[in-house]
């Protein structure tokens, strides 16, 4: 059993090296096509997949692969396909930036290790299910090649999840910043309105004083006019009481006394 397992791994390793050798001979067009396959937005989040390097490879070897690949897909080398070449070149450069930095490379390796761990857990779960069903406890991922494929797929999903979380965090920060800025603008506009009101109030102070003085003067004049009119009216009423249309008022007759 151990010999069979060892033989499977040797076969897998040999095939892997053959694939890597074939990929290393890809032309510029073929590398651009590889980097722009459907779903490349998420696929290219995995820097190891972009540069076609094993996660355990040393940084110096990764750098050599980056240089060869960046030359192949550089826009200057692909003048007839500038836009796609630029997209592919950006993906290669971004992958190298991730692996060049010690901290971000450590984070990328942790994602790969988590993918391996989850794949192993999934395999154990499949075996338990097969055992309950009284079936042979052999799963597809027992094949080293299929195991690597499963790890690569899960690694891509984990990188995609991290990217979505990052975008959500940025969107939240952006939304919060937008709300904060809108509030600041609202406060600034409010202050400007208050300032403008106070300015207009101060500038119109003399006008209000003049209006008030005019009003009080008119009110006093109206009061005097009303008082004068009242005096004239009283005089007229007094005069009307003394006036008789026949000019003479006979005395009232006294009752005759006997």
């Amino acid at each position: 059993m151990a010999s069979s397992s060892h033989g499977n791994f040797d076969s897998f390793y040999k095939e892997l090296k053959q694939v890597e050798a074939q990929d290393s001979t890809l032309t510029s067009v073929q590398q651009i096509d590889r980097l722009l396959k459907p779903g490349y937005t998420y696929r290219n989040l995995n820097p190891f997949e972009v540069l076609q390097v094993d996660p355990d490879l040393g940084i110096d070897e990764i750098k050599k692969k980056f240089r060869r690949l960046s030359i192949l897909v550089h826009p200057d080398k692909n003048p007839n396909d500038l836009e796609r070449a630029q997209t592919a070149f950006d993906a290669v450069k971004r992958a190298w930036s991730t692996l060049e930095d010690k901290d971000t490379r450590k984070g990328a390796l942790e994602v790969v290790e988590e993918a391996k761990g989850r794949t192993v857990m999934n395999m154990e779960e499949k075996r338990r299910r097969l055992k309950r069903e009284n079936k042979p406890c052999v799963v597809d991922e027992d094949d080293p090649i299929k195991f690597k494929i499963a790890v690569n797929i899960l690694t891509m999903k984990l990188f995609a999840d991290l990217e979505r979380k990052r975008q959500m965090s940025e969107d939240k920060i952006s939304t919060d910043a937008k709300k904060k800025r809108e509030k600041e603008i609202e406060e600034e506009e409010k202050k400007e309105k208050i300032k403008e009101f106070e300015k207009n109030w101060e500038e119109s102070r003399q006008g209000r004083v003049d209006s008030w003085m005019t009003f009080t003067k008119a009110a006093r004049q109206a009061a005097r006019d009303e008082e004068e009119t009242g005096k004239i009216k009283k005089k007229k009423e007094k005069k009307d009481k003394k006036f008789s249309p026949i000019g003479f008022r006979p005395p009232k007759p006294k009752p005759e006394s006997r």
Side-chain angles (χ1 to χ4, degrees):
M1 183 73 178
S3 176
S4 176
S5 176
H6 183 71
N8 287 339
F9 180 77
D10 288 343
S11 176
F12 156 70
Y13 188 76
K14 183 178 179 180
E15 184 173 343
L16 179 62
K17 288 301 178 183
Q18 288 176 349
V19 172
E20 289 179 350
Q22 291 173 359
D23 287 344
S24 65
T25 61
L26 292 178
T27 64
S28 295
V29 174
Q30 289 171 327
Q31 285 289 5
I32 291 173
D33 289 341
R34 178 183 71 83
L35 291 167
L36 298 183
K37 288 180 181 178
Y40 73 87
T41 301
Y42 288 110
R43 186 188 301 275
N44 291 347
L45 292 172
N46 183 351
F48 304 108
E49 176 73 17
V50 172
L51 298 180
Q52 293 181 299
V53 295
D54 189 274
D56 298 327
L57 195 65
I59 190 64
D60 291 336
E61 292 300 317
I62 294 176
K63 187 174 184 179
K64 290 178 184 178
K65 189 62 181 287
F66 158 68
R67 286 178 173 174
R68 289 197 298 269
L69 191 55
S70 63
I71 290 172
L72 280 175
V73 300
H74 197 284
D76 291 347
K77 296 289 184 179
N78 300 275
N80 296 327
D81 199 6
L82 283 176
E83 186 175 348
R84 295 177 76 248
Q86 185 65 57
T87 302
F89 179 75
D90 289 343
V92 171
K93 186 167 62 173
R94 186 165 51 250
W96 168 244
S97 297
T98 299
L99 298 181
E100 179 185 27
D101 183 86
K102 185 177 179 180
D103 293 333
T104 52
R105 183 170 73 254
K106 181 181 177 183
L109 287 170
E110 288 175 352
V111 172
V112 175
E113 288 302 315
E114 183 177 352
K116 289 180 179 179
R118 290 193 184 187
T119 301
V120 171
M121 291 175 62
N122 292 338
M123 291 170 65
E124 293 298 327
E125 177 59 31
K126 288 181 180 179
R127 290 192 182 100
R128 285 194 293 269
R129 186 169 62 251
L130 291 170
K131 187 176 181 180
R132 288 195 299 268
E133 296 172 356
N134 294 319
K135 295 180 179 179
C137 298
V138 179
V139 297
D140 292 341
E141 290 80 6
D142 287 331
D143 183 337
I145 295 177
K146 292 182 178 179
F147 176 81
K148 184 176 178 63
I149 292 172
V151 170
N152 286 342
I153 291 173
L154 190 50
T155 300
M156 183 178 67
K157 289 180 179 179
L158 291 176
F159 273 114
D161 288 341
L162 288 174
E163 177 62 15
R164 279 193 289 268
K165 289 178 181 178
R166 185 191 66 80
Q167 289 178 358
M168 289 174 64
S169 178
E170 285 189 354
D171 290 343
K172 185 177 184 304
I173 292 173
S174 178
T175 301
D176 291 343
K178 183 180 179 181
K179 289 181 179 178
K180 182 179 178 182
R181 182 55 187 158
E182 287 176 349
K183 188 174 181 180
E184 288 175 351
I185 292 174
E186 185 179 349
E187 290 295 327
E188 288 173 2
E189 290 178 348
K190 186 177 179 180
K191 288 179 181 178
E192 285 297 322
K193 288 179 180 179
I194 293 174
K195 186 178 179 180
E196 185 68 20
F197 173 80
E198 290 176 347
K199 180 182 177 182
N200 293 337
W201 178 263
E202 186 64 28
E203 289 178 351
S204 62
R205 180 185 297 277
Q206 189 59 47
R208 294 196 307 277
V209 171
D210 293 343
S211 296
W212 175 251
M213 292 179 67
T214 300
F215 170 76
T216 53
K217 183 178 179 181
R220 287 195 296 269
Q221 183 62 45
R224 286 196 295 268
D225 292 345
E226 186 177 355
E227 184 180 356
E228 188 65 28
T229 302
K231 290 179 179 179
I232 295 172
K233 187 176 180 181
K234 286 180 181 180
K235 288 181 179 180
K236 184 177 179 182
E237 288 176 351
K238 190 174 181 181
K239 184 177 179 181
D240 289 343
K241 288 180 180 179
K242 294 180 178 180
F243 176 74
S244 175
I246 59 176
F248 172 74
R249 288 186 179 180
K252 292 182 180 180
K254 294 182 179 181
E256 184 178 348
S257 59
R258 296 184 180 181

